[in-house]
Structure formats: C-alpha cells, structure tokens
Amino acid sequence: MNSKLLQEIKDGGGGFLDIFIGKIVLRLIRFLLKFKKNRYDRVVSLGDLFIDRNEKAKFLGFGEGTTIYDNCLVIGEVKVGRYTWIGPSTILDGSGGLEIGDHCNIASGAQIYSHETMFWVLSGGRMEYTRTKTVIGDCCYIGPNTIVSKGVRIGNHCLVGANSLVTSDLDDYSIAAGSPCKIIGKVKIDEKGDVELLMNRV
Amino acid sequence: MNSKLLQEIKDGGGGFLDIFIGKIVLRLIRFLLKFKKNRYDRVVSLGDLFIDRNEKAKFLGFGEGTTIYDNCLVIGEVKVGRYTWIGPSTILDGSGGLEIGDHCNIASGAQIYSHETMFWVLSGGRMEYTRTKTVIGDCCYIGPNTIVSKGVRIGNHCLVGANSLVTSDLDDYSIAAGSPCKIIGKVKIDEKGDVELLMNRV
Amino acid sequence: MNSKLLQEIKDGGGGFLDIFIGKIVLRLIRFLLKFKKNRYDRVVSLGDLFIDRNEKAKFLGFGEGTTIYDNCLVIGEVKVGRYTWIGPSTILDGSGGLEIGDHCNIASGAQIYSHETMFWVLSGGRMEYTRTKTVIGDCCYIGPNTIVSKGVRIGNHCLVGANSLVTSDLDDYSIAAGSPCKIIGKVKIDEKGDVELLMNRV
C-alpha cells in the first residue's frame, strides 16, 4: 500500500525502532485493507480500518443496529436511536443537545448543529456562542452535504434533499430541499407501509 | 505534534508498553509530516501519511496515474481509468456499478452514487434499496461537494460546478450547475485541443 | 472499540507480531477515545486522536490560538492568523498563495482554493493549471461546505452562508450566500462592538 513509507520514515529522521514499528503498522494496514475488501466489499479510510462503526456507535451509547463512520465529529450530548446510518465526513453537534431517532440516514457530509458561532466570529470573540437543542425524528433522510442549523426540529418520515440548509422546523412527512430549504412535497405512506413521494407543482 | 499524547494514554489507562508504542507512533507521525511537507509541500491527514494515494489507486485496480486520497469511501465494483484525481472526503459507490473514465477530477467532497436508500429510510426499513449503474466519461470535472445520483450517465468533457446535484444524464461537452443541476453552457474544444467555455445567456 | 480487529488481522494474513502490535494500537485507540471523551466531551476521528489540533496549527506556522482538525488538506503556502478555527473535511489550498486572518471560522467541509484545474481536466491534460492568490480578512465566517474559488479576496467581518460558492471579491462587512453567492445583507457593528445582521429586502 505504501512501499515508500519506510524510506520516508528514514528520510524524516527515523531510526531502527521507528522503521521496525513502521513496517508492522504498514503490514497491519495491508492485512486490514485486504480483509475488509474481501469481507465487506469496500475500501475504507485508515480510521475505518481500525475503528469498527458498530462498536463506535455502541461506545457512544447509540441504539442497536446504528453505525457511525470514523470521520464523524461528535460533540457533547448526542442521542441516536436504533438502525440509523451515519456517514463519513459528518458532524453531530450536541453541545446544545441533539437527538436523532430510529431508522434515519445522516448522509455523508451532513452536519447537524446545536450551537452557532457566527456572532462570536464576526465580533472578533466579543459576543458569545449560542446553543439550542436540535431534534430529528424517526425515519428521516438527511441528504448528502446538508446542514441542519441549531435549534431546528425535524419531524418523522422527513426527506431533506442533498446540499440543503435547514434553518426552520419541518413537520412530519415533509419533503424539503434547497439552501435555505423550502417544502417541495409530502411523503405519503399507504396502509401497507409503502412510501410515495408527492411533489408540489412548481 | 502532540506533546500531550503520552499523558493522555496514561490518563486513559495505558501502561508501560502502551506508552512505549505510543511514543514510537507519535515519532512516526512527526517524521512523516515533516517528510511530506518538505517533499510534496503539503500537510495531509493521518490516513494520507500512512497510505500512499498512488498505491491505493493501484490496490483498487484503477488506471495508471490515477490517485485517491485516504478519506474516500469506495463501495463495491468501481472502475476508474487513467490520470484521474480523486480528492478527500469523497464517496465512490459502485454497489450498483460505477465507471469513471480517464483524466477526470472528482473534487473533494464529491459523492458518486449507484444505490439509493431514501425509500428504505422513509419506510423504516420496509422498502428495499435500489441500485443502478452510474457512468462518468473521460475528461470530466465533477466539482467540490457535488452529488451524482444513482444511474446517471455523464458524457465526455463535461463540467459540473461546485455544490451541484446531478440527477439526470449529461451529454458530452455539457456545462451544468445547481442543485438539482441545469445545463448552463457548453464546452468547446478547438482544433488545437484548447478549451473554451460557452455559457448560455441568462 | 473493535473486538474483531485481531481476528481480521489474522484472517488478512497477519502473524504473531502483527497481532501483538495490533492489540497495542487498539488499546491506544481505546485509551485516547475515553480520555478525549471525558476531557473534551467530544468523540473524534482516529487522526484527531493522535494529532493535536493546536500543535498541528503550530507546526503549520499558524497564529496563536488557531486550531486545525486532522482531516484538512493543506497545500503549499498558507498563512493563517490568530484564534481561527479550521474544521474537519476542509481544504486550504495555498499552491497559488493563501492568507486567512484572525478570528475566522473555516467551517467543516469548506474549501478555499488558489489554483484551478478545470481547463486541465477538460482538455485531457493539454492546458495548464492556473494559480492566483486568495485572501480572507479578519473575523470572517466561511460557512459549512462553502467553496471559495481561486483568486477571491474577502474583506474583514464577512459572513458567507453554508453551501455557497464564492467566485468574486467581497467587501468588508458583506453577507453573502448561494452558489454562486450573492450579496444578501450587511454586517453592522455598533459602537460597543456588538454585531447586527442587516438583511436586504427581497
């Protein structure tokens, strides 16, 4: 995976012991990459080689069946229910409190905030951070690279499209998209439990 | 780089051996950071210190000259041609099949999908994932943080702007941007091979 | 954190020594995760376990009080002032020169460029990269997942919303958002130093 590594350690100033351990770390990376590719049919980042996303979710106290990729920054008090998928390059900010329900999808690059630093930054540190609890219900799809602002409440069975910015509350069954997002339709669930997306006429 | 690390390992519960190995790992990180900064004029993440982006591309079977940063999640069957640059914080999802051509740029934060979980999420796990193959041609620029949905076919020499969402096919030489994206112009290549961007009048 | 790791190393082809070192690395990860959770109330990525964001900023020559998460790709000549927060999944590209002032916030997923590869990609490598210096003043908030293009100059006390694309210069006190971004208001700072956001009428 990195045949130049040992030379780089040497050139960087490493001695015998550094190269010895570097060699083993490199072997570990190779074994794990191969194993995970064969077993799970995916090639993951270094962090995901060493940290299991099921067990990380357990460590965080999240519900059964929930998984979280290594490259998620989890701040403060975050509660997540069962069978929720949390992708890489995400942020779950519970510094003001954050609850996420069951069966959600927090897609890669999505960032859910419960604090806000804008006024702190613009005032050069004079004004304070503000914090408000953020809540996301069950069965919500938060699209890739979507931002949910501090204090927003999203109901159950909501669909928020990719690249969106959610700054106000969403009722159950809302379909929203855009930055800032607008309601563009409604999720309909029939008696069998099947889902239909009813889009607003434009 | 982290003068507090050994104390943190101790405070976390680590013994002599943990501190000994922690010390060496820390030295490796310092050597590699310094080496890569001097040699490549860049300061990379931990994963990119240990995993070479040329060799990772080879491991994945990608073409000659293609590179991929550590923090890319590669799922399933992904084929990538030659001289393509794949940035950090990206997703290449080949669970439904994914082909990317030569000389492309998959900018940082871009996510290319071939499966879709919206209905699975909204129905609480009742409905199934769906999968369709996604194809991106040669010489395509997929902008930073842009999402390409399952099943999309993008031709050759296409330019997709930053923060876009691509949900339908793009012909050769298309310029597209927006979320969802619209065609906003055409790539013109003259007889010498030079590129001009012909933007639509608004 | 990863009870399967040792088995995975074995299944991947690892021998006694690999498992021995793997066991210690796993212990280090567990100690550090626990320590950082208790001390800083956050659960960070593998890279942020081993690399301190204060000391990484010092290594890069950034100003006092500035921090930078591990998963930031820093290219070329980047100068950053004091008390600036640089989030994960970011890019600071100084290959054409990049200066960022004091007290800024480069939110997670934001990417600041000073080079541009579009024409290189679209022409199949025939045309060259272009580079121009990019400058961001003091007390600027660059929102999550926002892209700043090569050569842009952003003044002091500017607010750029989430998911934006900044392709032209912004005067001091600008509020901008959108992709590409438009001016949507003005930052007002009163005699006490308090900040008010004056939004344009739509």
Side-chain angles (χ1 to χ4, degrees), chain A residues 136-197:
Chain A
I136 296 177
D138 296 330
C139 303
C140 286
Y141 181 94
I142 307 297
N145 293 335
T146 282
I147 315 296
V148 178
S149 297
K150 176 198 78 158
V152 164
R153 288 175 176 256
I154 296 179
N156 300 315
H157 300 281
C158 288
L159 166 57
V160 183
N163 297 336
S164 299
L165 169 64
V166 188
T167 56
S168 45
D169 295 356
L170 297 179
D171 292 337
D172 293 352
Y173 304 106
S174 299
I175 303 177
S179 181
C181 74
K182 291 176 188 161
I183 301 292
I184 60 168
K186 222 159 176 50
V187 172
K188 192 187 152 192
I189 304 192
D190 68 17
E191 63 284 354
K192 285 188 291 182
D194 282 347
V195 166
E196 204 184 339
L197 305 183

Short mmCIF file of all heavy atoms in Angstrom, two decimals, chain A residues 136-197:
data_model
loop_
_atom_site.label_atom_id
_atom_site.label_comp_id
_atom_site.label_asym_id
_atom_site.label_seq_id
_atom_site.Cartn_x
_atom_site.Cartn_y
_atom_site.Cartn_z
N ILE A 136 -34.22 15.49 15.59
CA ILE A 136 -34.61 14.86 14.33
C ILE A 136 -35.37 13.59 14.69
O ILE A 136 -34.89 12.79 15.51
CB ILE A 136 -33.38 14.54 13.46
CG1 ILE A 136 -32.67 15.84 13.06
CG2 ILE A 136 -33.75 13.72 12.23
CD1 ILE A 136 -31.40 15.66 12.26
N GLY A 137 -36.56 13.41 14.08
CA GLY A 137 -37.43 12.28 14.43
C GLY A 137 -36.97 10.95 13.86
O GLY A 137 -35.78 10.76 13.54
N ASP A 138 -37.89 10.02 13.70
CA ASP A 138 -37.59 8.71 13.15
C ASP A 138 -37.72 8.71 11.62
O ASP A 138 -38.46 9.52 11.05
CB ASP A 138 -38.59 7.67 13.70
CG ASP A 138 -38.48 7.50 15.21
OD1 ASP A 138 -37.36 7.68 15.75
OD2 ASP A 138 -39.51 7.19 15.84
N CYS A 139 -37.04 7.78 11.00
CA CYS A 139 -37.20 7.53 9.57
C CYS A 139 -36.98 8.78 8.73
O CYS A 139 -37.73 9.05 7.78
CB CYS A 139 -38.58 6.93 9.27
SG CYS A 139 -38.91 5.42 10.18
N CYS A 140 -35.97 9.57 9.08
CA CYS A 140 -35.65 10.78 8.32
C CYS A 140 -34.41 10.56 7.47
O CYS A 140 -33.43 9.96 7.93
CB CYS A 140 -35.39 11.96 9.26
SG CYS A 140 -36.90 12.59 9.99
N TYR A 141 -34.47 11.06 6.26
CA TYR A 141 -33.34 11.02 5.36
C TYR A 141 -32.76 12.42 5.25
O TYR A 141 -33.39 13.31 4.69
CB TYR A 141 -33.78 10.52 3.98
CG TYR A 141 -32.66 10.42 2.97
CD1 TYR A 141 -31.98 9.21 2.79
CD2 TYR A 141 -32.27 11.52 2.22
CE1 TYR A 141 -30.94 9.12 1.88
CE2 TYR A 141 -31.22 11.43 1.30
CZ TYR A 141 -30.57 10.22 1.14
OH TYR A 141 -29.53 10.14 0.24
N ILE A 142 -31.57 12.61 5.82
CA ILE A 142 -30.87 13.90 5.73
C ILE A 142 -29.82 13.74 4.64
O ILE A 142 -28.87 12.96 4.79
CB ILE A 142 -30.22 14.28 7.08
CG1 ILE A 142 -31.25 14.21 8.22
CG2 ILE A 142 -29.56 15.64 6.99
CD1 ILE A 142 -32.41 15.17 8.11
N GLY A 143 -30.00 14.47 3.54
CA GLY A 143 -29.21 14.22 2.33
C GLY A 143 -27.74 14.58 2.46
O GLY A 143 -27.31 15.27 3.39
N PRO A 144 -26.95 14.13 1.49
CA PRO A 144 -25.51 14.39 1.48
C PRO A 144 -25.20 15.89 1.52
O PRO A 144 -25.85 16.67 0.81
CB PRO A 144 -25.05 13.81 0.13
CG PRO A 144 -26.10 12.87 -0.30
CD PRO A 144 -27.37 13.30 0.34
N ASN A 145 -24.24 16.27 2.34
CA ASN A 145 -23.76 17.66 2.44
C ASN A 145 -24.82 18.65 2.91
O ASN A 145 -24.67 19.86 2.72
CB ASN A 145 -23.16 18.13 1.10
CG ASN A 145 -21.89 17.38 0.75
OD1 ASN A 145 -21.22 16.87 1.64
ND2 ASN A 145 -21.56 17.29 -0.52
N THR A 146 -25.88 18.14 3.55
CA THR A 146 -26.92 19.02 4.06
C THR A 146 -26.59 19.49 5.48
O THR A 146 -26.04 18.75 6.28
CB THR A 146 -28.28 18.27 4.02
OG1 THR A 146 -28.74 18.32 2.67
CG2 THR A 146 -29.32 18.90 4.94
N ILE A 147 -26.90 20.77 5.73
CA ILE A 147 -26.63 21.38 7.03
C ILE A 147 -27.95 21.60 7.77
O ILE A 147 -28.88 22.16 7.21
CB ILE A 147 -25.95 22.77 6.86
CG1 ILE A 147 -24.83 22.72 5.81
CG2 ILE A 147 -25.49 23.32 8.19
CD1 ILE A 147 -23.68 21.84 6.14
N VAL A 148 -28.02 21.17 9.01
CA VAL A 148 -29.18 21.45 9.85
C VAL A 148 -28.72 22.40 10.95
O VAL A 148 -27.80 22.11 11.71
CB VAL A 148 -29.77 20.17 10.47
CG1 VAL A 148 -30.94 20.49 11.39
CG2 VAL A 148 -30.20 19.19 9.37
N SER A 149 -29.36 23.58 11.00
CA SER A 149 -28.92 24.61 11.94
C SER A 149 -29.40 24.33 13.36
O SER A 149 -30.36 23.59 13.59
CB SER A 149 -29.47 25.98 11.51
OG SER A 149 -28.95 26.32 10.26
N LYS A 150 -28.73 24.98 14.26
CA LYS A 150 -29.04 24.96 15.68
C LYS A 150 -30.53 25.16 15.97
O LYS A 150 -31.15 26.06 15.43
CB LYS A 150 -28.27 26.14 16.30
CG LYS A 150 -28.49 26.41 17.74
CD LYS A 150 -28.02 27.81 18.10
CE LYS A 150 -29.05 28.85 17.65
NZ LYS A 150 -28.96 30.13 18.36
N GLY A 151 -31.10 24.27 16.79
CA GLY A 151 -32.46 24.50 17.28
C GLY A 151 -33.58 24.01 16.39
O GLY A 151 -34.75 24.11 16.76
N VAL A 152 -33.24 23.48 15.22
CA VAL A 152 -34.27 23.02 14.30
C VAL A 152 -34.91 21.73 14.82
O VAL A 152 -34.23 20.89 15.42
CB VAL A 152 -33.65 22.78 12.90
CG1 VAL A 152 -34.55 21.95 12.01
CG2 VAL A 152 -33.32 24.12 12.24
N ARG A 153 -36.22 21.59 14.61
CA ARG A 153 -36.91 20.34 14.91
C ARG A 153 -37.48 19.75 13.63
O ARG A 153 -38.28 20.39 12.95
CB ARG A 153 -38.03 20.57 15.94
CG ARG A 153 -37.42 20.84 17.30
CD ARG A 153 -38.32 21.20 18.41
NE ARG A 153 -37.49 21.30 19.59
CZ ARG A 153 -37.44 20.37 20.56
NH1 ARG A 153 -38.22 19.31 20.51
NH2 ARG A 153 -36.63 20.54 21.59
N ILE A 154 -37.04 18.55 13.33
CA ILE A 154 -37.50 17.85 12.14
C ILE A 154 -38.34 16.67 12.61
O ILE A 154 -37.91 15.90 13.47
CB ILE A 154 -36.28 17.37 11.30
CG1 ILE A 154 -35.48 18.59 10.79
CG2 ILE A 154 -36.72 16.47 10.16
CD1 ILE A 154 -34.26 18.24 9.96
N GLY A 155 -39.56 16.56 12.05
CA GLY A 155 -40.49 15.52 12.48
C GLY A 155 -40.07 14.13 12.01
O GLY A 155 -38.90 13.90 11.66
N ASN A 156 -41.03 13.21 11.95
CA ASN A 156 -40.76 11.84 11.49
C ASN A 156 -40.98 11.74 9.98
O ASN A 156 -41.74 12.52 9.39
CB ASN A 156 -41.72 10.86 12.19
CG ASN A 156 -41.54 10.89 13.70
OD1 ASN A 156 -40.43 10.90 14.21
ND2 ASN A 156 -42.68 10.94 14.41
N HIS A 157 -40.34 10.76 9.35
CA HIS A 157 -40.53 10.47 7.93
C HIS A 157 -40.30 11.70 7.05
O HIS A 157 -41.07 11.96 6.12
CB HIS A 157 -41.94 9.91 7.68
CG HIS A 157 -42.22 8.63 8.40
ND1 HIS A 157 -41.77 7.40 7.99
CD2 HIS A 157 -42.89 8.41 9.57
CE1 HIS A 157 -42.16 6.46 8.84
NE2 HIS A 157 -42.84 7.05 9.82
N CYS A 158 -39.28 12.47 7.34
CA CYS A 158 -38.96 13.64 6.50
C CYS A 158 -37.81 13.31 5.56
O CYS A 158 -36.91 12.54 5.90
CB CYS A 158 -38.57 14.84 7.37
SG CYS A 158 -39.97 15.55 8.25
N LEU A 159 -37.88 13.94 4.40
CA LEU A 159 -36.84 13.77 3.39
C LEU A 159 -36.23 15.14 3.10
O LEU A 159 -36.93 16.05 2.66
CB LEU A 159 -37.48 13.18 2.12
CG LEU A 159 -36.68 13.19 0.83
CD1 LEU A 159 -35.35 12.49 0.98
CD2 LEU A 159 -37.50 12.52 -0.28
N VAL A 160 -34.96 15.29 3.40
CA VAL A 160 -34.27 16.55 3.09
C VAL A 160 -33.23 16.26 2.02
O VAL A 160 -32.33 15.43 2.21
CB VAL A 160 -33.59 17.15 4.34
CG1 VAL A 160 -32.96 18.49 4.00
CG2 VAL A 160 -34.58 17.27 5.49
N GLY A 161 -33.37 16.93 0.88
CA GLY A 161 -32.51 16.66 -0.27
C GLY A 161 -31.06 17.05 -0.04
O GLY A 161 -30.71 17.71 0.94
N ALA A 162 -30.23 16.66 -1.00
CA ALA A 162 -28.79 16.93 -0.93
C ALA A 162 -28.51 18.43 -0.95
O ALA A 162 -29.30 19.22 -1.47
CB ALA A 162 -28.11 16.27 -2.14
N ASN A 163 -27.38 18.83 -0.37
CA ASN A 163 -26.88 20.21 -0.43
C ASN A 163 -27.87 21.22 0.14
O ASN A 163 -27.87 22.38 -0.28
CB ASN A 163 -26.58 20.64 -1.88
CG ASN A 163 -25.48 19.82 -2.52
OD1 ASN A 163 -24.65 19.26 -1.82
ND2 ASN A 163 -25.48 19.75 -3.83
N SER A 164 -28.70 20.80 1.09
CA SER A 164 -29.70 21.71 1.64
C SER A 164 -29.21 22.36 2.93
O SER A 164 -28.23 21.92 3.53
CB SER A 164 -31.01 20.95 1.92
OG SER A 164 -31.52 20.41 0.71
N LEU A 165 -29.92 23.43 3.29
CA LEU A 165 -29.66 24.10 4.56
C LEU A 165 -31.01 24.21 5.27
O LEU A 165 -31.92 24.86 4.75
CB LEU A 165 -29.07 25.49 4.32
CG LEU A 165 -28.98 26.42 5.53
CD1 LEU A 165 -28.04 25.86 6.60
CD2 LEU A 165 -28.54 27.81 5.10
N VAL A 166 -31.15 23.56 6.41
CA VAL A 166 -32.42 23.55 7.13
C VAL A 166 -32.31 24.52 8.30
O VAL A 166 -31.54 24.30 9.23
CB VAL A 166 -32.76 22.14 7.65
CG1 VAL A 166 -34.17 22.10 8.22
CG2 VAL A 166 -32.58 21.09 6.56
N THR A 167 -33.07 25.61 8.22
CA THR A 167 -32.99 26.63 9.27
C THR A 167 -34.29 26.76 10.06
O THR A 167 -34.34 27.48 11.04
CB THR A 167 -32.66 28.01 8.65
OG1 THR A 167 -33.65 28.29 7.66
CG2 THR A 167 -31.28 28.01 8.03
N SER A 168 -35.36 26.09 9.59
CA SER A 168 -36.59 26.14 10.39
C SER A 168 -37.21 24.74 10.48
O SER A 168 -36.81 23.83 9.76
CB SER A 168 -37.58 27.16 9.80
OG SER A 168 -37.66 27.02 8.42
N ASP A 169 -38.17 24.59 11.38
CA ASP A 169 -38.70 23.27 11.69
C ASP A 169 -39.41 22.64 10.49
O ASP A 169 -39.95 23.34 9.63
CB ASP A 169 -39.70 23.37 12.85
CG ASP A 169 -39.02 23.82 14.14
OD1 ASP A 169 -37.78 23.98 14.15
OD2 ASP A 169 -39.75 24.01 15.14
N LEU A 170 -39.43 21.33 10.47
CA LEU A 170 -40.13 20.59 9.42
C LEU A 170 -41.15 19.66 10.08
O LEU A 170 -40.80 18.88 10.97
CB LEU A 170 -39.15 19.75 8.60
CG LEU A 170 -38.07 20.49 7.79
CD1 LEU A 170 -37.18 19.49 7.06
CD2 LEU A 170 -38.71 21.46 6.79
N ASP A 171 -42.41 19.75 9.62
CA ASP A 171 -43.45 18.83 10.12
C ASP A 171 -43.19 17.40 9.65
O ASP A 171 -42.47 17.19 8.67
CB ASP A 171 -44.82 19.26 9.57
CG ASP A 171 -45.26 20.59 10.14
OD1 ASP A 171 -44.77 20.95 11.23
OD2 ASP A 171 -46.07 21.28 9.48
N ASP A 172 -43.82 16.46 10.31
CA ASP A 172 -43.78 15.06 9.87
C ASP A 172 -44.11 14.99 8.37
O ASP A 172 -44.94 15.76 7.86
CB ASP A 172 -44.87 14.25 10.59
CG ASP A 172 -44.61 14.11 12.09
OD1 ASP A 172 -43.53 14.52 12.57
OD2 ASP A 172 -45.51 13.60 12.78
N TYR A 173 -43.47 14.07 7.68
CA TYR A 173 -43.75 13.77 6.27
C TYR A 173 -43.37 14.89 5.30
O TYR A 173 -43.82 14.90 4.16
CB TYR A 173 -45.24 13.41 6.06
CG TYR A 173 -45.70 12.27 6.93
CD1 TYR A 173 -46.52 12.51 8.04
CD2 TYR A 173 -45.30 10.96 6.68
CE1 TYR A 173 -46.92 11.47 8.87
CE2 TYR A 173 -45.71 9.91 7.51
CZ TYR A 173 -46.52 10.17 8.59
OH TYR A 173 -46.91 9.15 9.41
N SER A 174 -42.55 15.82 5.73
CA SER A 174 -42.13 16.90 4.82
C SER A 174 -41.06 16.42 3.84
O SER A 174 -40.19 15.63 4.20
CB SER A 174 -41.54 18.08 5.60
OG SER A 174 -42.49 18.62 6.49
N ILE A 175 -41.14 16.95 2.62
CA ILE A 175 -40.02 16.84 1.68
C ILE A 175 -39.49 18.25 1.49
O ILE A 175 -40.25 19.16 1.13
CB ILE A 175 -40.45 16.25 0.32
CG1 ILE A 175 -41.10 14.88 0.51
CG2 ILE A 175 -39.26 16.14 -0.61
CD1 ILE A 175 -41.62 14.27 -0.80
N ALA A 176 -38.22 18.46 1.76
CA ALA A 176 -37.64 19.79 1.68
C ALA A 176 -36.32 19.72 0.95
O ALA A 176 -35.61 18.71 0.99
CB ALA A 176 -37.44 20.36 3.09
N ALA A 177 -35.98 20.82 0.27
CA ALA A 177 -34.68 20.89 -0.41
C ALA A 177 -34.34 22.35 -0.66
O ALA A 177 -35.22 23.22 -0.67
CB ALA A 177 -34.71 20.12 -1.72
N GLY A 178 -33.08 22.61 -0.86
CA GLY A 178 -32.62 23.96 -1.17
C GLY A 178 -31.84 24.55 -0.01
O GLY A 178 -31.82 24.03 1.10
N SER A 179 -31.21 25.69 -0.30
CA SER A 179 -30.32 26.30 0.68
C SER A 179 -30.59 27.80 0.70
O SER A 179 -30.10 28.51 -0.16
CB SER A 179 -28.87 26.00 0.27
OG SER A 179 -27.97 26.53 1.18
N PRO A 180 -31.45 28.31 1.63
CA PRO A 180 -32.16 27.57 2.67
C PRO A 180 -33.29 26.74 2.06
O PRO A 180 -33.81 27.07 0.99
CB PRO A 180 -32.72 28.68 3.56
CG PRO A 180 -32.84 29.87 2.67
CD PRO A 180 -31.72 29.75 1.68
N CYS A 181 -33.70 25.69 2.73
CA CYS A 181 -34.62 24.74 2.11
C CYS A 181 -36.06 25.25 2.13
O CYS A 181 -36.45 26.06 2.97
CB CYS A 181 -34.51 23.37 2.76
SG CYS A 181 -35.24 23.24 4.39
N LYS A 182 -36.81 24.77 1.15
CA LYS A 182 -38.25 25.02 1.08
C LYS A 182 -38.96 23.68 1.04
O LYS A 182 -38.39 22.68 0.62
CB LYS A 182 -38.58 25.79 -0.22
CG LYS A 182 -38.07 27.20 -0.21
CD LYS A 182 -38.34 27.87 -1.55
CE LYS A 182 -37.63 29.23 -1.56
NZ LYS A 182 -37.45 29.76 -2.92
N ILE A 183 -40.24 23.70 1.43
CA ILE A 183 -41.05 22.48 1.33
C ILE A 183 -41.37 22.27 -0.14
O ILE A 183 -41.92 23.16 -0.80
CB ILE A 183 -42.36 22.64 2.13
CG1 ILE A 183 -42.06 22.92 3.60
CG2 ILE A 183 -43.24 21.40 1.98
CD1 ILE A 183 -41.44 21.80 4.36
N ILE A 184 -41.03 21.12 -0.67
CA ILE A 184 -41.31 20.86 -2.09
C ILE A 184 -42.24 19.67 -2.28
O ILE A 184 -42.56 19.31 -3.40
CB ILE A 184 -40.00 20.64 -2.90
CG1 ILE A 184 -39.23 19.43 -2.34
CG2 ILE A 184 -39.13 21.88 -2.89
CD1 ILE A 184 -38.09 18.96 -3.25
N GLY A 185 -42.68 19.06 -1.19
CA GLY A 185 -43.61 17.94 -1.35
C GLY A 185 -43.90 17.28 -0.03
O GLY A 185 -43.55 17.81 1.04
N LYS A 186 -44.56 16.13 -0.13
CA LYS A 186 -45.01 15.41 1.06
C LYS A 186 -44.74 13.92 0.89
O LYS A 186 -44.90 13.37 -0.19
CB LYS A 186 -46.52 15.63 1.25
CG LYS A 186 -46.87 15.88 2.68
CD LYS A 186 -48.17 16.57 2.93
CE LYS A 186 -48.40 16.62 4.43
NZ LYS A 186 -47.25 17.14 5.22
N VAL A 187 -44.31 13.28 1.97
CA VAL A 187 -44.13 11.83 1.97
C VAL A 187 -45.48 11.20 2.32
O VAL A 187 -46.09 11.53 3.32
CB VAL A 187 -43.08 11.42 3.02
CG1 VAL A 187 -43.02 9.90 3.17
CG2 VAL A 187 -41.72 11.99 2.68
N LYS A 188 -45.96 10.29 1.45
CA LYS A 188 -47.21 9.59 1.74
C LYS A 188 -46.89 8.12 2.02
O LYS A 188 -46.15 7.50 1.26
CB LYS A 188 -48.14 9.71 0.53
CG LYS A 188 -49.56 9.25 0.84
CD LYS A 188 -50.42 9.21 -0.40
CE LYS A 188 -51.52 8.18 -0.24
NZ LYS A 188 -52.20 7.89 -1.52
N ILE A 189 -47.43 7.61 3.10
CA ILE A 189 -47.22 6.20 3.43
C ILE A 189 -48.57 5.50 3.41
O ILE A 189 -49.48 5.89 4.14
CB ILE A 189 -46.53 6.05 4.81
CG1 ILE A 189 -45.23 6.86 4.82
CG2 ILE A 189 -46.27 4.59 5.14
CD1 ILE A 189 -44.31 6.61 5.97
N ASP A 190 -48.72 4.52 2.54
CA ASP A 190 -50.03 3.89 2.39
C ASP A 190 -50.26 2.83 3.47
O ASP A 190 -49.40 2.58 4.31
CB ASP A 190 -50.23 3.32 0.97
CG ASP A 190 -49.31 2.15 0.67
OD1 ASP A 190 -48.76 1.55 1.62
OD2 ASP A 190 -49.13 1.83 -0.52
N GLU A 191 -51.43 2.19 3.44
CA GLU A 191 -51.80 1.27 4.52
C GLU A 191 -50.84 0.08 4.63
O GLU A 191 -50.66 -0.49 5.70
CB GLU A 191 -53.26 0.81 4.36
CG GLU A 191 -53.61 0.01 3.11
CD GLU A 191 -53.71 0.90 1.86
OE1 GLU A 191 -53.62 2.15 1.97
OE2 GLU A 191 -53.89 0.34 0.76
N LYS A 192 -50.20 -0.28 3.50
CA LYS A 192 -49.23 -1.38 3.56
C LYS A 192 -47.88 -0.93 4.12
O LYS A 192 -47.02 -1.75 4.44
CB LYS A 192 -49.01 -1.96 2.16
CG LYS A 192 -50.16 -2.83 1.66
CD LYS A 192 -49.81 -3.52 0.36
CE LYS A 192 -49.73 -2.52 -0.78
NZ LYS A 192 -49.44 -3.11 -2.09
N GLY A 193 -47.68 0.38 4.20
CA GLY A 193 -46.40 0.89 4.68
C GLY A 193 -45.47 1.34 3.57
O GLY A 193 -44.33 1.73 3.83
N ASP A 194 -45.96 1.26 2.32
CA ASP A 194 -45.13 1.70 1.20
C ASP A 194 -45.12 3.23 1.10
O ASP A 194 -46.11 3.89 1.44
CB ASP A 194 -45.64 1.09 -0.11
CG ASP A 194 -45.20 -0.36 -0.24
OD1 ASP A 194 -44.32 -0.78 0.53
OD2 ASP A 194 -45.75 -1.06 -1.11
N VAL A 195 -44.03 3.74 0.60
CA VAL A 195 -43.82 5.19 0.57
C VAL A 195 -44.01 5.72 -0.85
O VAL A 195 -43.53 5.13 -1.82
CB VAL A 195 -42.39 5.51 1.05
CG1 VAL A 195 -42.02 6.94 0.72
CG2 VAL A 195 -42.27 5.25 2.54
N GLU A 196 -44.69 6.84 -0.95
CA GLU A 196 -44.80 7.56 -2.22
C GLU A 196 -44.39 9.01 -1.96
O GLU A 196 -44.69 9.56 -0.91
CB GLU A 196 -46.26 7.50 -2.70
CG GLU A 196 -46.44 7.67 -4.19
CD GLU A 196 -47.94 7.69 -4.53
OE1 GLU A 196 -48.74 7.19 -3.72
OE2 GLU A 196 -48.29 8.25 -5.59
N LEU A 197 -43.67 9.59 -2.93
CA LEU A 197 -43.27 10.99 -2.79
C LEU A 197 -44.21 11.87 -3.61
O LEU A 197 -44.25 11.76 -4.84
CB LEU A 197 -41.82 11.19 -3.27
CG LEU A 197 -40.76 10.31 -2.61
CD1 LEU A 197 -39.36 10.66 -3.13
CD2 LEU A 197 -40.80 10.41 -1.09
#
